[in-house]
Amino acid sequence: MNKLTLILSMIVAVTLVAIGTLFITVFKKPELNTAPLSTSGTLEITWDDLIPEGVPYADVIGLGEQDNVRDIWKPAYDQNAMQLNNDLEGKIIKLPGYVVPLDTRADGTKSFLLVPYAGACVHTPPPPANQIVVVESEQTWESESLYEPVWVTGTLATNLHETELAFVGYEMDALFIEKYDIEVPPFE
């Protein structure tokens, strides 16, 4: 690996960690163990809650290497990226994220990846497996854009496996999908 490729790989890795940190900061909720259940019994979680307790987010993202033939950066994830939070198995959760359709039809999609940041799996390398949820829904989601954030509520299951786009750690049977309105505070 030449020096320029190594430097570019490190810049991309640092950028991805910064994006993940920003996302966690914007959507930070109470810790999983202290989050109250709503009256409907749904647990509202963040992407950080999908990582098992004791595994820092920074340890999930690893350096990678540049694939000069395909002109992409390939992330290198270690075992931390494959660890799942088994305490969430079978829970009804509500999680914000972005839709990456797995099936596309005229009326929308019923099967998609829910990812923590816009463009994941499409324009950037995929997030680690414990940061991707495969969602199956009875209702069709008609997205206005891949960069439109949504809330997905449903029953979560842990199931580490590979799709065409990435390794995924979770599956969800969606009960509700709704647009997520982000309120970004102004710069002061």
Side-chain angles (χ1 to χ4, degrees), residues 101-112:
L102 292 175
D103 70 341
T104 306
R105 41 181 111 191
D107 61 343
T109 184
K110 289 186 174 191
S111 178
F112 57 89

Side-chain angles (χ1 to χ4, degrees), residues 87-133:
D87 293 339
L88 294 173
E89 177 70 36
K91 302 272 181 166
I92 298 175
I93 59 112
K94 182 175 182 180
L95 179 67
Y98 294 86
V99 173
V100 178
L102 292 175
D103 70 341
T104 306
R105 41 181 111 191
D107 61 343
T109 184
K110 289 186 174 191
S111 178
F112 57 89
L113 299 179
L114 186 66
V115 294
Y117 51 88
C121 300
V122 178
H123 300 294
T124 63
N130 61 17
Q131 296 292 282
I132 303 177
V133 180

Side-chain angles (χ1 to χ4, degrees), residues 45-67:
I45 68 169
T46 67
W47 290 93
D48 199 36
D49 293 321
L50 297 177
I51 301 170
E53 190 174 327
V55 178
Y57 185 82
D59 289 348
V60 172
I61 304 286
L63 289 179
E65 63 183 49
Q66 179 69 30
D67 180 342

Side-chain angles (χ1 to χ4, degrees), residues 4-163:
L4 179 60
T5 302
L6 180 62
I7 291 171
L8 289 174
S9 294
M10 292 178 72
I11 291 171
V12 170
V14 169
T15 302
L16 287 174
V17 170
I19 290 170
T21 303
L22 176 63
F23 187 86
I24 288 169
T25 303
V26 170
F27 291 108
K28 188 66 181 166
K29 302 289 182 214
E31 293 300 317
L32 178 64
N33 295 334
T34 60
L37 290 177
S38 70
T39 56
S40 67
T42 301
L43 184 63
E44 190 175 298
I45 68 169
T46 67
W47 290 93
D48 199 36
D49 293 321
L50 297 177
I51 301 170
E53 190 174 327
V55 178
Y57 185 82
D59 289 348
V60 172
I61 304 286
L63 289 179
E65 63 183 49
Q66 179 69 30
D67 180 342
N68 292 324
V69 174
R70 296 184 343 191
D71 194 29
I72 60 170
W73 178 72
K74 298 184 327 188
Y77 298 122
D78 64 12
Q79 281 302 104
N80 288 330
M82 303 299 178
Q83 292 185 39
L84 307 178
N85 185 344
N86 293 314
D87 293 339
L88 294 173
E89 177 70 36
K91 302 272 181 166
I92 298 175
I93 59 112
K94 182 175 182 180
L95 179 67
Y98 294 86
V99 173
V100 178
L102 292 175
D103 70 341
T104 306
R105 41 181 111 191
D107 61 343
T109 184
K110 289 186 174 191
S111 178
F112 57 89
L113 299 179
L114 186 66
V115 294
Y117 51 88
C121 300
V122 178
H123 300 294
T124 63
N130 61 17
Q131 296 292 282
I132 303 177
V133 180
V134 175
V135 177
E136 298 291 336
S137 174
E138 291 295 319
Q139 79 182 75
T140 302
W141 177 252
E142 295 181 49
S143 180
E144 294 175 17
S145 123
L146 285 176
Y147 305 105
E148 176 183 45
V150 296
W151 279 109
V152 180
T153 302
T155 305
L156 192 69
T158 55
N159 182 11
L160 187 62
H161 65 283
E162 188 173 10
T163 69

